[in-house]
């Protein structure tokens, strides 16, 4: 089994674990690994509702993001995934652009859409970035699209709960990240060198468990088939 495929399967299995206890999970566009993890979680818990934006088979919404936002405002979305060009040590996410400071950014992206709204409302917000480098995980983002913490006196049911990367899993606690697990083959020293922000780490650190044969069979079989309408190429790579 190739290293990239094994790492994708490990991330998918980890995401499914982070969704245990949820009733309704929503996944935005361009998020194949979180989508696969949500579908794996649903196989294990058929009562779980999964809404994949951009999917005809796994999305009951008929009016796009508006209904997703309404559900979040009503407390009917338990988990959502958020990524960005940059994520910093305070849990802030940048989806707008990099290089300099707003409004002078060297590279601009599409923007945040509903990211700040959902970040304030969804109780289990999982930050996800497969690439784990000092340029993606930074001390301070160049622009705050979705804040990690709230100003004093602002009630916020949502906010970051975890940050999952291709190297490790962090938990967000008291406004900073704490290293929770190292993925196989990773070391604390290697993760510190690859991370642009300081984080807490208590030893001995746990290791992310490799998915067992039954989990791999689910990912390569029913998960890949269910994912095919939204992400056909990614689903083909999953199925092998």
């Amino acid at each position: 089994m190739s290293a990239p495929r094994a790492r994708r399967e490990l991330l998918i299995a980890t995401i499914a674990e982070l969704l245990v206890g949820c009733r309704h999970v929503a996944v935005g566009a361009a998020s194949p690994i979180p989508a696969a993890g949500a579908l794996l979680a649903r196989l294990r818990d058929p009562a779980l509702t999964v809404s994949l934006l951009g999917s005809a088979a796994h999305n009951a919404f008929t009016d796009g993001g508006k209904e997703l936002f309404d559900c979040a405002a009503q407390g009917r979305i338990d988990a959502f995934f958020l990524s960005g060009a940059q994520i910093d040590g305070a849990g802030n996410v940048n989806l707008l652009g990099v290089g300099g400071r707003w409004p002078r950014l060297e590279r601009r992206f599409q923007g945040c859409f509903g990211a700040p709204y959902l970040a304030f409302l969804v109780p289990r917000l999982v930050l996800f970035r497969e690439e784990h480098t000092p340029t993606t995980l930074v001390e301070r983002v160049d622009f705050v699209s979705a804040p990690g913490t709230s100003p004093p006196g602002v009630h916020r049911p949502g906010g970051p709960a975890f940050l999952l990367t291709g190297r490790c899993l962090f938990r967000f606690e008291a406004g900073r990240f704490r290293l929770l697990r190292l993925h196989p083959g990773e070391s604390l020293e290697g993760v510190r060198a690859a991370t642009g922000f300081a984080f807490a780490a208590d030893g001995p650190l746990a290791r992310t468990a490799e998915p067992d044969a039954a989990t791999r069979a689910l990912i390569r079989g029913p998960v890949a088939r269910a994912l095919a309408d939204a992400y056909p190429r990614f689903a083909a790579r999953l199925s092998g």
Side-chain angles (χ1 to χ4, degrees):
M1 179 169 50
S2 68
R5 184 182 186 187
R7 185 52 53 97
R8 283 195 300 266
E9 291 178 346
L10 181 141
L11 293 173
I12 290 167
T14 302
I15 286 170
E17 179 187 346
L18 296 179
L19 298 178
V20 170
C22 291
R23 302 161 300 163
H24 188 178
V25 176
V27 183
S31 301
I33 290 177
L39 292 172
L40 176 60
R42 190 177 66 182
L43 283 175
R44 294 172 171 171
D45 179 8
L48 175 66
T49 297
V50 175
S51 297
L52 305 184
L53 295 188
S55 169
H58 311 288
N59 183 7
F61 300 142
T62 59
D63 199 16
K66 295 178 183 178
E67 288 177 274
L68 170 62
F69 300 155
D70 285 346
C71 278
Q74 295 163 12
R76 294 164 55 200
I77 303 291
D78 299 306
F80 186 73
F81 299 87
L82 192 58
S83 186
Q86 297 173 323
I87 299 171
D88 70 20
N92 300 310
V93 176
N94 174 17
L95 289 150
L96 184 66
V98 296
R101 295 291 176 195
W102 171 261
R104 294 192 175 99
L105 297 171
E106 296 174 4
R107 295 180 58 202
R108 291 285 300 271
F109 308 121
Q110 291 182 335
C112 61
F113 192 49
Y117 179 85
L118 293 172
F120 269 84
L121 293 173
V122 178
R124 195 175 306 183
L125 184 68
V126 179
L127 306 183
F128 176 76
R129 184 67 200 245
E130 189 173 6
E131 179 185 345
H132 186 142
T133 65
T135 56
T136 56
L137 303 185
V138 298
E139 178 60 31
R140 180 186 176 195
V141 294
D142 294 339
F143 181 84
V144 178
S145 297
T149 57
S150 303
V154 175
H155 173 68
R156 182 180 188 180
F162 299 97
L163 167 60
L164 176 63
T165 77
R167 294 177 180 267
C168 63
L169 174 66
F170 296 98
R171 185 191 297 276
F172 195 64
E173 298 177 348
R176 299 296 293 180
F177 286 108
R178 178 177 297 278
L179 184 59
L180 198 60
R181 296 182 200 162
L182 293 167
H183 297 339
E186 301 292 342
S187 67
L188 174 59
E189 295 75 18
V191 168
R192 285 202 189 278
T195 308
F197 56 76
F199 57 85
D202 299 326
L205 290 165
R207 289 279 174 181
T208 308
E210 297 270 13
D212 57 23
T215 299
R216 290 196 299 270
L218 289 175
I219 293 171
R220 299 174 189 179
V223 169
R225 290 193 294 272
L227 202 63
D229 80 310
Y231 301 102
R233 293 181 180 178
F234 184 82
R237 291 199 295 269
L238 275 189
S239 65

